[in-house]
Amino acid sequence: MTRAPQVVVIGDGRASRPTARLAEQIGAHVAQLGATLITGGRGGVMAAASRGARRAGGSVIGIVPSTALAEGNRWCSVVIPTGLGHARNVVTALAGDVVVAIGGGAGTLSEIAFAWIHGRPIIVVKGRGGWADALTRRGVDARRSSTITAVADAAGCAAALWTLLRRVTKA
Amino acid sequence: MTRAPQVVVIGDGRASRPTARLAEQIGAHVAQLGATLITGGRGGVMAAASRGARRAGGSVIGIVPSTALAEGNRWCSVVIPTGLGHARNVVTALAGDVVVAIGGGAGTLSEIAFAWIHGRPIIVVKGRGGWADALTRRGVDARRSSTITAVADAAGCAAALWTLLRRVTKA
Amino acid sequence: MTRAPQVVVIGDGRASRPTARLAEQIGAHVAQLGATLITGGRGGVMAAASRGARRAGGSVIGIVPSTALAEGNRWCSVVIPTGLGHARNVVTALAGDVVVAIGGGAGTLSEIAFAWIHGRPIIVVKGRGGWADALTRRGVDARRSSTITAVADAAGCAAALWTLLRRVTKA
Amino acid sequence: MTRAPQVVVIGDGRASRPTARLAEQIGAHVAQLGATLITGGRGGVMAAASRGARRAGGSVIGIVPSTALAEGNRWCSVVIPTGLGHARNVVTALAGDVVVAIGGGAGTLSEIAFAWIHGRPIIVVKGRGGWADALTRRGVDARRSSTITAVADAAGCAAALWTLLRRVTKA
């Protein structure tokens, strides 16, 4: 048996309406690609992407900071409470065959750094501010184990996911 | 939307044939109860329970110590690499509405301790040796936030799961 | 330059007066042996051992569960806030060239399990109840990377520390 | 009794000669201020700062990723092996009353993000490249619990440390 590809979506715990709509569309694309969506399990970008994936019939895992199963948002199919506080960001970043960043503050930045260190391919969706907007193709540092792909919208993200997941699951 | 109940099965990374058969039956029961099975993602009891759940049509999450998605056994629907080494045992223990222990050495013992501390109800399946056999109804220490239910076989485990999950998901 | 040997003392966050006196004596012995004392940084056995070590002129490191430097008890020379909750027990167990257990509930039990898994020699001080009393020379499981030495009092602990630290620091 | 102030120095595991000299001077200043130096315990900036502090008579704690006490560089007075891999970066960031960043790649970036999230004041030493150079007074995101102070050299860092530590230890 094989597991489905895993896509992590990271971003702010609070999101403007256009950012939430974008995250929801990306979540739906993740489900339509047959991938499992994984998020940090909280609000904002995380909840919006999760809603999109669940409504499109997908599975959603929320990896939350506290010890409480109830901390996951209502769109989670499964909640993984870590009890690690912000150190759960390492676990979130590691959970993806690909990691998608939308906007994002310091928490998202730490997740991008960990995805980069651990060689997880990163897609940054431009135009929503935050660290996802600030990063360029040059990457986070001189390591070359990961890549950063910049996309403009949900459709671009779906196309990049399709390409990256095909490469990852073949490897 | 609601998440399915979550059952963690913990035990040795190596298992005798009878212990593996028991774990596989319990995994199948977990799936038949409509619950998600969560394990430490490796061999022995973990792999056997996962095989049972997948073959019964269930979902299986493996929470593994290393940073590698490939560390999960082949029965995982989703792999969560933590990069935390044995500290991932906290995350495994927290992931269950109920935790089932079969046999078990020091790693399993640490997971039982964390389940106890965090108030997760514990089922110990007797007769397979290890720490699951050594624990009694008196529990791990003077805390009373968790409970230990001893069962004799897979059918007893299924009955106990049915009772405990009904209580947990109502709460 | 070389670091001093490191001794971890683990045990309950609340301690009876005789247990606290025992822990304090052991802390003093740790300091007199020229070793750094490391604890979980909280009350009970941890605070008592720390008081003993500081009063004997030693250094004390407290590795605490929360993110707050202020969580360490007043006898800490250095506080390491982990933000990991009970997962900090792995870090505490790993910090010792030798680990000394006095009494202890589920948290102490998890630390003993991790010390055992990671090959840290363990001294259990008998007669104070808890898991330190329940463990025998046979150890935690079939692994043979660690050892358990049972002692009856603070003087016995000092003698065992002297022997074990000499062996460890030579290796 | 009171603990000494704690200063974390973060930066690359490899360092050019001028960067190492800068780190060594800063380590010496930390010791001369009566503070404990804490680093990630490895090479480059971490080892250079540690050498500076030890030679100036200070105490040095190295918080390392692996489970091995031997992983700490030779200037550590105490080694804390976490077994957490890169998740140890959270622990390192939390350990400082003040965090000083010199140069730095993705690992340092994650530590800056965690220091920011947890309200630890950050000093960035300019002119050595990496993320410490890229950050500005505006900070990491919209949170205002931490501050970033930019300094040009070791003397500037010592002055900023003096001011920040006075404020922190009074609070």
Side-chain angles (χ1 to χ4, degrees):
Chain A
M1 287 198 163
T2 52
R3 67 171 178 84
Q6 298 175 200
V7 174
V8 171
V9 172
I10 59 178
D12 284 328
R14 292 180 186 189
S16 68
R17 197 171 291 219
T19 298
R21 196 171 310 132
L22 174 68
E24 185 164 357
Q25 290 170 338
I26 289 173
H29 283 305
V30 168
Q32 284 151 7
L33 286 163
T36 302
L37 176 68
I38 300 173
T39 79
R42 306 197 72 182
V45 162
M46 297 171 262
S50 301
R51 187 172 58 232
R54 277 311 278 288
R55 286 191 172 157
S59 278
V60 176
I61 319 279
I63 301 174
V64 300
S66 83
T67 62
L69 287 154
E71 195 190 4
N73 65 57
R74 58 188 292 245
W75 307 102
C76 293
S77 321
V78 178
V79 177
I80 308 289
T82 63
L84 302 171
H86 290 280
R88 79 86 150 74
N89 294 1
V90 182
V91 182
T92 313
L94 284 168
D97 290 299
V98 176
V99 174
V100 178
I102 305 171
T108 304
L109 179 60
S110 73
E111 290 168 321
I112 291 171
F114 287 125
W116 180 261
I117 289 170
H118 290 294
R120 302 299 196 259
I122 299 163
I123 297 172
V124 293
V125 189
K126 294 293 182 182
R128 310 305 327 155
W131 282 98
D133 251 29
L135 289 171
T136 67
R137 194 169 296 225
R138 282 185 312 148
V140 182
D141 62 18
R143 283 181 187 87
R144 287 294 164 259
S145 46
S146 178
T147 56
I148 293 187
T149 306
V151 300
D153 52 22
C157 183
L161 278 173
W162 194 83
T163 307
L164 287 167
L165 289 176
R166 219 174 47 150
R167 201 179 303 160
V168 166
T169 50
K170 272 195 188 159
Chain B
M1 288 198 161
T2 53
R3 65 171 180 85
Q6 298 176 200
V7 175
V8 171
V9 173
I10 59 178
D12 283 328
R14 291 179 186 192
S16 68
R17 198 171 291 218
T19 299
R21 196 171 311 131
L22 174 68
E24 185 163 358
Q25 291 170 337
I26 289 174
H29 283 305
V30 169
Q32 285 151 7
L33 285 163
T36 302
L37 176 69
I38 300 175
T39 80
R42 307 196 72 180
V45 163
M46 297 171 261
S50 301
R51 187 172 57 235
R54 277 310 277 288
R55 286 190 173 159
S59 279
V60 177
I61 319 278
I63 301 176
V64 299
S66 83
T67 63
L69 286 155
E71 194 190 4
N73 65 55
R74 56 188 293 246
W75 307 102
C76 294
S77 321
V78 178
V79 178
I80 308 290
T82 63
L84 301 171
H86 291 279
R88 78 88 150 72
N89 294 2
V90 183
V91 182
T92 312
L94 285 169
D97 289 299
V98 176
V99 174
V100 178
I102 305 171
T108 303
L109 179 60
S110 73
E111 290 168 322
I112 291 170
F114 287 125
W116 181 260
I117 290 170
H118 290 295
R120 302 301 195 257
I122 300 164
I123 297 172
V124 294
V125 189
K126 294 293 180 183
R128 309 305 328 155
W131 282 98
D133 252 28
L135 288 172
T136 67
R137 195 170 295 225
R138 284 184 311 147
V140 182
D141 63 17
R143 281 181 188 88
R144 286 293 164 261
S145 47
S146 179
T147 56
I148 294 187
T149 306
V151 301
D153 52 21
C157 184
L161 279 173
W162 194 83
T163 307
L164 287 167
L165 289 176
R166 219 173 46 149
R167 199 178 305 159
V168 166
T169 50
K170 270 193 187 158
Chain C
M1 288 197 163
T2 52
R3 65 170 180 85
Q6 299 175 200
V7 175
V8 171
V9 173
I10 59 178
D12 283 328
R14 292 179 187 193
S16 67
R17 197 171 292 220
T19 299
R21 195 170 313 130
L22 174 68
E24 185 164 358
Q25 290 169 337
I26 289 173
H29 283 305
V30 169
Q32 284 150 7
L33 285 163
T36 302
L37 176 69
I38 301 175
T39 80
R42 307 194 73 180
V45 164
M46 298 171 261
S50 301
R51 187 173 55 236
R54 277 310 278 289
R55 285 191 174 158
S59 278
V60 176
I61 319 278
I63 301 176
V64 299
S66 84
T67 62
L69 286 154
E71 195 189 4
N73 64 56
R74 57 188 292 246
W75 307 102
C76 293
S77 321
V78 178
V79 178
I80 309 289
T82 63
L84 301 171
H86 291 279
R88 80 85 152 72
N89 294 2
V90 183
V91 182
T92 313
L94 285 168
D97 289 299
V98 176
V99 173
V100 178
I102 305 170
T108 303
L109 179 60
S110 73
E111 290 168 323
I112 291 171
F114 288 125
W116 180 261
I117 289 170
H118 290 295
R120 302 299 195 260
I122 300 163
I123 297 172
V124 293
V125 189
K126 295 292 182 183
R128 309 304 328 154
W131 282 98
D133 251 28
L135 288 171
T136 67
R137 195 168 294 226
R138 283 184 313 147
V140 183
D141 61 19
R143 283 181 186 87
R144 286 293 163 260
S145 46
S146 179
T147 56
I148 293 188
T149 306
V151 301
D153 53 21
C157 184
L161 278 173
W162 194 83
T163 308
L164 287 167
L165 289 176
R166 217 174 47 149
R167 199 179 304 159
V168 166
T169 51
K170 271 192 186 158
Chain D
M1 286 196 163
T2 52
R3 65 169 181 85
Q6 299 175 200
V7 174
V8 171
V9 173
I10 59 178
D12 284 328
R14 293 182 185 188
S16 68
R17 196 170 292 219
T19 299
R21 194 170 313 132
L22 174 68
E24 185 164 357
Q25 291 170 338
I26 289 173
H29 283 305
V30 168
Q32 285 150 6
L33 285 162
T36 302
L37 176 68
I38 300 175
T39 79
R42 307 196 72 181
V45 163
M46 297 171 262
S50 301
R51 186 172 57 235
R54 277 310 278 289
R55 286 191 173 157
S59 279
V60 176
I61 320 277
I63 301 175
V64 300
S66 83
T67 63
L69 286 154
E71 194 189 5
N73 65 56
R74 57 187 292 245
W75 307 101
C76 293
S77 322
V78 178
V79 177
I80 309 289
T82 62
L84 301 171
H86 291 280
R88 80 85 152 74
N89 295 1
V90 182
V91 183
T92 313
L94 284 169
D97 289 300
V98 177
V99 174
V100 178
I102 305 171
T108 303
L109 179 60
S110 73
E111 290 168 322
I112 291 171
F114 288 125
W116 181 260
I117 289 170
H118 290 293
R120 304 298 196 258
I122 300 163
I123 298 172
V124 294
V125 189
K126 294 293 182 181
R128 309 306 327 156
W131 283 98
D133 251 29
L135 289 172
T136 67
R137 194 167 296 224
R138 284 185 311 149
V140 181
D141 63 18
R143 282 180 188 87
R144 286 293 163 261
S145 47
S146 178
T147 56
I148 293 187
T149 306
V151 301
D153 53 21
C157 184
L161 279 173
W162 194 84
T163 307
L164 287 167
L165 289 176
R166 218 175 44 151
R167 200 178 304 160
V168 166
T169 49
K170 272 194 188 158

